[in-house]
Every structure is written in structure tokens, then in C-alpha cells.
Amino acid sequence: MKELRTEDYLEHIVDSSGDILSFTNGFTLEAFKADLRTQKAVVMSIIEIGEAATKIAASDPDFVAQNDGLPWSQMRGMRNRIAHGYFDIDLDIVWQTVVSAIPTLNRQAEDLLNELREGPELGPSPK
């Protein structure tokens, strides 16, 4: 059951990061700053990514340790900063995250999700 939950949460990360890429496709920083709807959609998706990362870390710490290529603590940290208002949302930082971290996160999380779904490779049975 734990693997299914991890898989579900990982799918949330893939979906939310993909949404961010879709929402911001063709945008510049200036266009992003001028579009409140896109800002809110991106910020909410970042929160969703952080929530999923937090749930994976809490329920399956071994998975996190085995897959340390994903920025687990950064995902949780960004979510906490935004959700708890540790700082006013700095759109420059959000945009920098969108262009520098989200594409890589989306690819890595999607690859990891595909690996989980394919399951372990089984070799020939011993005779």
C-alpha cells in the first residue's frame, strides 16, 4: 500500500509541474508579473508539489533516500515559505523557479514515476 501512495504523490508532482509548464508556456517574466491568474495558478501548483513531497518524505523516507536526485527539501521549503507567509511572494524568485527548476523536476519525477510503474526488472529464474 505504501508504494501506491508514493506513486500517487509522485504523480501529483508530475501533474503539478506539468501544469506550471503549461501555464507559463510562451511567457516572459514581464508577462508573468502582469498576469495575476497565472501567478496564482503557478503558486498553487508549487504548493501542491511541496505537499506531495512532504507526504512522500513522511510516509516513505526510504524512497526519498534512494531517490535523492529530486530536490525534496527544496520542494517542501518553497511550499512552506509560500503557504505560511514567511515572505511576501517574490515573483522574481517564483519565475526563476519556473524557468530553472520546474522543467528538470518534471522530467526527473516523470522518469521516476515510470520506473515505479514498470516495477523491478525480473531476470531469468534460477534453475
Side-chain angles (χ1 to χ4, degrees), residues 71-127:
W72 300 103
S73 62
Q74 291 90 338
M75 289 186 279
R76 294 189 316 266
M78 183 70 115
R79 177 254 177 238
N80 289 340
R81 283 185 209 97
I82 290 171
H84 296 294
Y86 296 146
F87 63 86
D88 290 330
I89 296 175
D90 182 332
L91 294 178
D92 290 313
I93 291 173
V94 172
W95 183 252
Q96 185 60 33
T97 300
V98 167
V99 298
S100 68
I102 296 299
T104 301
L105 172 64
N106 182 259
R107 282 190 305 274
Q108 289 176 321
E110 192 166 29
D111 289 346
L112 190 53
L113 181 59
N114 288 335
E115 287 176 26
L116 268 180
R117 288 180 172 163
E118 291 170 5
E121 299 245 352
L122 299 175
S125 349
K127 298 201 179 205

Side-chain angles (χ1 to χ4, degrees), residues 20 32 38-48 82-83 89 91 94:
I20 291 170
F32 179 68
T38 300
Q39 293 168 25
K40 288 187 177 274
V42 166
V43 166
M44 185 51 140
S45 295
I46 290 171
I47 290 172
E48 290 169 352
I82 290 171
I89 296 175
L91 294 178
V94 172

Side-chain angles (χ1 to χ4, degrees), residues 59-71:
S59 66
D60 199 350
D62 291 338
F63 180 83
V64 172
Q66 293 166 359
N67 297 285
D68 61 356
L70 264 69

Side-chain angles (χ1 to χ4, degrees), residues 11-64:
E11 185 172 16
H12 290 255
I13 293 171
V14 170
D15 290 346
S16 294
S17 59
D19 287 345
I20 291 170
L21 295 173
S22 174
F23 298 152
T24 59
N25 186 35
F27 271 67
T28 62
L29 173 59
E30 293 73 29
F32 179 68
K33 285 183 171 183
D35 190 329
L36 182 61
R37 182 179 300 168
T38 300
Q39 293 168 25
K40 288 187 177 274
V42 166
V43 166
M44 185 51 140
S45 295
I46 290 171
I47 290 172
E48 290 169 352
I49 289 168
E51 286 288 332
T54 298
K55 289 178 181 177
I56 291 171
S59 66
D60 199 350
D62 291 338
F63 180 83
V64 172

